[in-house]
Amino acid sequence: MDNGQKEVILKIDGVKKEYHMGEVTVHALQGISFEIFKGEFLVILGPSGSGKSTILNIIGGIDQPTSGAVTYKGADISKAGERALTRYRRASVGFVFQFYNLIPNLTARENILLASELGSNPLNVNELLNMIGLGDRGVHFPSQLSGGQQQRVAIARAVAKNPEILLCDEPTGALDFSTGIQVLKLLKTFNREYSRTVAIITHNAGISEMADRTLYIKDGLVDHVELNENPIDPEEVRW
Amino acid sequence: MILFLKAVRAIWNNKKAYLSCVVLVAVAIYMMVAMGSAAEALAEASERYYKSNRLADVFANVNSFPASAVSSLAQIEGINEIQARLVYDARVNVPGNSKIIWLRLVSFDTSYEGVSLNYPDITGRPLEHENDIWIGHAFLDIHSLEVGGSLDVIIEGRKSALNIAGMADSPEYVYAVRDPSDLLPDNEAFGIAYIGALDLAVLLDKRGLYNDLTFSLDNGYAFDDVKEALTEALSPYGLTALYAKEDQFSYSMLNTEITSIQAMSLAVPVMFTLISAIVLFLMLKRVIEQERTQIGALKTFGYKNREILFHYLLYGLVTSVLGGALGVLLGNMSVKYLIDMYTEFFTLPDVRETAEPSLAAAGMALAAASGAIGAYFGAKPALRLAPADAMRPPSPPLVKGDIMKTLPFLRWLLTSRGSMSIRNIQRSKARSVFIVLGIAFSFGIMEMMCPMMTMMTDMIVAKYEYIQAYDAKLSLRQPANAEDAARQAMKLPGVTMAEAIREMPVEIRRSNRKTGSILMGLTPETQLYHIYDDETKQTLPFPDSGIILNTFAADELGVAKGAEVMLKTAWNEDEIPVIVRDIVHQNMTSAVYMDYDTVNNMLDLPDSADSVMVRTTDMEGVKLSLDDTKNISSIEDTYSAMTNFEQMMNSYSSMTWIMVVLGTVIAFAIIYNSATISLSEKKREYATLRVLGMHINEVCEISNFEYWLLFTIGCLLGIPFGRFMLGAMNEMMKTMMENMTLPPDVPLWAVGASFLGCMTAVLLSNLSAKRTIKKLDMVEVLKERE
Ligand SMILES: Nc1ncnc2c1ncn2[C@@H]1O[C@H](COP(=O)(O)OP(=O)(O)OP(=O)(O)O)[C@@H](O)[C@H]1O
Ligand SMILES: [Mg+2]
């Protein structure tokens, strides 16, 4: 695929993030720049502490950079106010965490419903339940589901609003091989069938084989980018 | 040591939540130390005073008792000593002061032979010259009189100058009121003075006669043992009152006050420390859940259960000991002022003004115990954790018996956000119940206290406007023909209307039940007095024959309309039967009513009135002219009586407000603490919702809805609870103040005010929750593992 033809959905431009802790200043991001294209499947790889989560949180509008710009469809979200940021998260972003973060008080179905009530063009909740293979488990509470099942509910919840971009921070980090594959398949489905942008952070280099592009991050900067002409199927991913 | 640091830091990080416990405990211990010490000091001082100054055991008032007969009373079995005196209330002439001022002159045997009882504390020179007096401190001070100076009084219509030889305070007048119906002492209007016995006898022209007898009893004898014999011996001399020390007004007022301070100093601390213990329990329970991995780690390091438990006990102990220390400190500092406040009403010598060390110790113990108990039960689950268990994150709570399933229609009413609120309540049942009870409790306190104020005002209005339509009531020295008395009264300045009445103490009996009251004989055409019913708000028809009882007397006797009761007065030997025509409910008046002529006929008396009610446009004039009007012994001025009541009301009203504020504070402490705990539990959920794209207000809705729902339930429970407490209060008032009762219903505005009070607490707490939610750092919260 030719990058030139692709539409840029997010532009990260010279983003810095510093944490001041007394005398010490931690430079988590040192002026990182890259772009995310509409509809691509992006994998972000890098050593622990390199700044992956930090940049993903900034992109997702739950954290703000010290300096630099993050432009979404032409608007700079790095300088947006509280209300505008909330609107951005509500309408455009789906977030998936390593530790699911489902609401324990709500059933699987209600967890998804909660998010879909927020979207302006939500996906059908029952369809989503079927898609994640939990059509008959909708009435169960998170504590009654396995880790993989919980993560699938979390993904369904993230996509229920039908967001532009799906951001996942180590979505398979707490899962074993086969459940991990199921989750990856789900992400791929959302990417391909709904033509939504998906960006995932992982420590697992094998996963990058199913990506359109892989971003290697080191010391708060992009080390290099790898294009993948022939992404493999999630089933073929070697762990 | 490190663990101690950890506890202190944890408390510091959560200081607002722990602070409310500190405040609750501090208030509790403060009350215990300050009020307990005050009660103790008053009790001790009064006991000492009564003993050293030998307060008599029995008191009697007679019209005139000859000196020659005194020794015969000593023959009565059980009587030890007798003190016979003349007591006379003289008008005082203070230039420029139009208030009616009375000085009670008590004869003092300068030979010191008869002065073995009720001995006053004297400073100054002996009573050696004619008309020398010792006068009470309070009266002396308030009128800026001086020892060595003199004072003009009017005795039997004649002006006499009395010389102030010194000061004297009497154990009989620790609480100095002229008439029990005054309720509150007024040192300006009433004072006590001792005067040589011979001087007073000469001034009153009552040589060799006494009108006041007091007795001490032999060991092992009680009032009831001598009552009959004394009644028999004194009746021929016009016995008007005979009572035991326990019923002596000053003595019983002081005792009642001490008892009620003692009760308060115990009940409030117990209640407050209990609430604080519950709050600590809930907080610790949460801390344990949050720190299970830490606890696991500590256990694997080899910390013993005992050490870990002690660590968490420290949370409670540090908090409550801090509160206790604060309370002890405040109590120590303020006990002096508190006692000063009481000694303003009670003239008692040598009241110790320091805090009772044993109470401070008990307070600290209570504080520490409440902290330890609350924390212990909260922290106990930590002991059950096995090291490995603790290291694993807690399994998410399982919601059993889902309300959403049993009530599917609720689903239609509520969004998934609403169901989160409901399930949050379900999930933490204990805490929700605690919040509901807390709100109900605060609501109840406010609902009870608010109306007290207006009720009292209403009662005063009823008494002084609807019932007593007169401006003043003049008591006659000698009974007089009704028409004459009224005609004489009409001559007083500004008097436009005058009505004579008959008024006397009466004992009413029905089989074996008895009660005392004041019998009022009114003329049928009376305009100045209405037999007005506070409850039905109607004036009852005049009783042409028979008697109208008040509800209090009717209850005491257990009689209804139409029953026959027996009357006994000072004028009749044998009891006279009368029919109860009606029963009137009057909150602040204890009279029973009959027709004027019927009373006189019944008692075989000539047409004779003993009081005259007047309406006047010139009260000052009436008062000033009194000196010359020989047949008037005293005047009851409706306006001053009302003002006096209002003053008392004002002291109550500050108490009311304190209670309302306390109610709000308690409600706030409970809701705020619970909200803080629940927020810390739900931080993660709320952060997730924020990431999903919920606005701050939408997240707040979920948490607010929970409290508004609990608030509603709490208020609904609080309404009957407040009524119940008001009823209990009423019972207490009844026994404490005999005939005074409060109307039992709570006005709507009081319900509204309590509602607002609790609502304020919920609003404040929700606002603070909003601040927390606003500041929630999504990245930070979601980074941690569960
Ligand atoms: N709140 C914070 N305060 C101080 N330093 C922080 C904070 N959050 C992150 N950092 C630092 O920023 C750097 C980047 O952190 P980040 O979480 O983005 O790493 P990561 O690439 O996601 O690592 P991992 O693969 O372990 O999740 C790290 O050095 C981290 O210590
Ligand atoms: Mg990370």
Side-chain angles (χ1 to χ4, degrees), chain B residues 17 511 631:
Chain B
S511 58
N631 197 21

Side-chain angles (χ1 to χ4, degrees), chain A residues 48-49 51-54 98 169-170 201 203, chain B residues 783:
Chain A
S48 184
K52 304 180 298 290
S53 296
T54 308
Q98 180 179 0
D169 195 344
E170 299 187 47
I201 292 176
H203 274 121
Chain B
K783 190 161 71 179

Side-chain angles (χ1 to χ4, degrees), chain B residues 269-556:
Chain B
V270 167
M271 203 168 75
F272 279 30
T273 47
L274 185 70
I275 296 175
S276 149
I278 296 177
V279 172
L280 278 173
F281 164 74
L282 292 171
M283 292 206 286
L284 258 292
K285 213 168 133 225
R286 176 58 203 156
V287 170
I288 296 300
E289 275 161 30
Q290 274 174 337
E291 298 188 352
R292 42 190 300 139
T293 41
Q294 289 184 38
I295 296 167
L298 290 177
K299 284 191 181 181
T300 39
F301 295 161
Y303 276 99
K304 290 194 198 76
N305 262 342
R306 195 159 35 84
E307 290 166 317
I308 290 172
L309 184 66
F310 180 70
H311 166 62
Y312 288 106
L313 279 187
L314 270 182
Y315 285 49
L317 281 173
V318 168
T319 312
S320 57
V321 166
L322 205 65
L326 206 65
V328 168
L329 198 74
L330 285 175
N332 266 310
M333 276 168 15
S334 64
V335 69
K336 182 179 181 316
Y337 301 99
L338 197 67
I339 288 176
D340 282 350
M341 200 184 87
Y342 285 117
T343 48
E344 198 152 296
F345 293 110
F346 297 101
T347 315
L348 261 179
D350 308 326
V351 185
R352 195 168 38 87
E353 292 197 323
T354 51
E356 185 72 33
S358 66
L359 279 171
M364 286 309 289
L366 178 65
S370 81
I373 290 171
Y376 173 74
F377 286 101
K380 219 168 64 171
L383 300 183
R384 285 200 304 269
L385 295 172
D389 228 10
M391 291 296 271
R392 226 173 286 138
S395 49
L398 202 74
V399 180
K400 282 176 284 180
D402 184 8
I403 208 172
M404 288 295 153
K405 263 183 216 151
T406 43
L407 296 170
F409 71 92
L410 271 180
R411 195 183 287 275
W412 296 99
L413 296 175
L414 299 161
T415 59
S416 52
R417 262 176 276 154
S419 50
M420 259 184 90
S421 294
I422 301 268
R423 295 236 183 80
N424 282 343
I425 293 174
Q426 256 190 316
R427 185 165 79 180
S428 38
K429 284 195 195 71
R431 196 166 54 218
S432 302
V433 167
F434 176 59
I435 294 176
V436 165
L437 290 183
I439 292 177
F441 176 75
S442 313
F443 190 98
I445 284 193
M446 289 189 261
E447 192 190 39
M448 175 185 83
M449 292 310 289
C450 282
M452 295 277 275
M453 259 311 293
T454 43
M455 276 179 193
M456 298 256 182
T457 318
D458 285 351
M459 277 157 45
I460 294 168
V461 169
K463 178 171 163 110
Y464 293 112
E465 275 168 28
Y466 297 121
I467 300 177
Q468 302 182 357
Y470 54 81
D471 294 325
K473 188 168 78 184
L474 314 172
S475 301
L476 303 183
R477 210 178 290 282
Q478 299 296 330
N481 171 285
E483 261 177 54
D484 285 349
R487 204 172 326 111
Q488 290 294 327
M490 286 298 281
K491 290 184 189 154
L492 293 171
V495 172
T496 54
M497 212 187 268
E499 282 172 18
I501 54 169
R502 185 97 229 197
E503 220 179 359
M504 63 182 73
V506 64
E507 197 174 83
I508 313 170
R509 187 178 66 82
R510 160 89 185 176
S511 58
N512 58 352
R513 295 161 84 165
K514 258 194 222 168
T515 186
S517 185
I518 300 287
L519 174 62
M520 286 189 78
L522 300 164
T523 45
E525 56 278 358
T526 179
Q527 307 225 354
L528 297 180
Y529 199 99
H530 308 298
I531 307 173
Y532 173 86
D533 190 297
D534 291 339
E535 238 164 37
T536 60
K537 311 242 181 283
Q538 260 161 16
T539 301
L540 266 52
F542 192 80
D544 295 319
S545 65
I547 191 166
I548 294 185
L549 295 183
N550 57 52
T551 35
F552 183 80
D555 286 350
E556 286 283 287

Side-chain angles (χ1 to χ4, degrees), chain A residues 57 62-63 82-83 86 89-90 95 97 99 101 103-106 110 114 117-118 143 157 161, chain B residues 396-398 411 416 420 423-424 427 684-685 688-695 698 778-779 782 785:
Chain A
N57 289 340
I62 62 175
D63 200 357
E82 175 56 49
R83 297 193 69 80
T86 306
R89 287 199 299 270
R90 190 180 187 122
F95 228 109
F97 305 93
F99 302 110
N101 283 320
I103 307 291
N105 278 339
L106 297 179
E110 287 163 348
L114 180 72
E117 278 170 3
L118 296 174
S143 56
R157 183 179 67 179
K161 295 182 296 185
Chain B
L398 202 74
R411 195 183 287 275
S416 52
M420 259 184 90
R423 295 236 183 80
N424 282 343
R427 185 165 79 180
R684 215 181 165 77
E685 289 168 38
T688 309
L689 297 178
R690 294 280 289 129
V691 171
L692 276 177
M694 274 196 195
H695 288 288
E698 290 171 321
M778 290 170 262
V779 178
L782 294 173
R785 276 177 70 122

